[in-house]
Amino acid sequence: MYLDTSILADKKLVILYLLENMNIPLTKAQITDAVLDSNLMDYFTLQQCLAGLEGTEVIKQVDYQQRKCYGITDLGRNTLKVFLNRIPETSMEIIKQYVLNNKDS
């Protein structure tokens, strides 16, 4: 399934927003749970977005608590700042609520 590049870009921004707001690296499973449980995107779109984000070096895999995780890079933070207004307010609220509910776990 291929999405319009504009829609795909917006989905990538949602992932960057999640990583930035969690303020810790997340495993692929944690990211998957966050976006699927919140109905922010489907599994295949998520996989396509993660590959694209990693390929452009706005996220990178890091070792965190003896697990492979994804962390946002400085380039990712700058990208998010520039395009933050493209993330729908409802998606931002969903992520904020997810972070509040799951930050400690």
Side-chain angles (χ1 to χ4, degrees), residues 5-38:
T5 54
S6 175
I7 294 171
L8 199 56
D10 292 348
K11 302 286 187 187
K12 290 177 183 178
L13 289 168
V14 166
I15 296 168
L16 291 177
Y17 190 76
L18 171 66
L19 288 170
E20 180 67 7
N21 281 276
M22 285 300 283
N23 206 27
I24 57 170
L26 299 175
T27 65
K28 186 182 277 192
Q30 290 170 319
I31 296 169
T32 301
D33 288 345
V35 300
L36 294 182
D37 289 350
S38 304

Side-chain angles (χ1 to χ4, degrees), residues 34-60:
V35 300
L36 294 182
D37 289 350
S38 304
N39 292 318
L40 293 169
M41 68 188 81
D42 64 77
Y43 177 81
F44 298 104
T45 301
L46 171 63
Q47 297 309 308
Q48 188 176 0
C49 288
L50 286 174
L53 289 168
E54 192 172 13
T56 56
E57 299 181 352
V58 294
I59 65 171
K60 66 179 179 179

Side-chain angles (χ1 to χ4, degrees), residues 47-105:
Q47 297 309 308
Q48 188 176 0
C49 288
L50 286 174
L53 289 168
E54 192 172 13
T56 56
E57 299 181 352
V58 294
I59 65 171
K60 66 179 179 179
Q61 283 197 21
V62 296
D63 290 321
Y64 181 75
Q65 296 183 343
Q66 300 175 341
R67 297 186 291 180
K68 291 285 184 196
C69 296
Y70 286 101
I72 188 169
T73 64
D74 289 338
L75 177 60
R77 284 185 185 88
N78 291 335
T79 301
L80 184 59
K81 285 178 190 172
V82 170
F83 295 108
L84 187 63
N85 63 335
R86 289 187 56 171
I87 302 173
E89 190 65 37
T90 54
S91 296
M92 292 172 78
E93 288 302 318
I94 289 169
I95 291 170
K96 287 177 187 175
Q97 191 60 49
Y98 181 85
V99 170
L100 280 173
N101 294 339
N102 295 282
K103 180 82 170 182
D104 295 331
S105 61

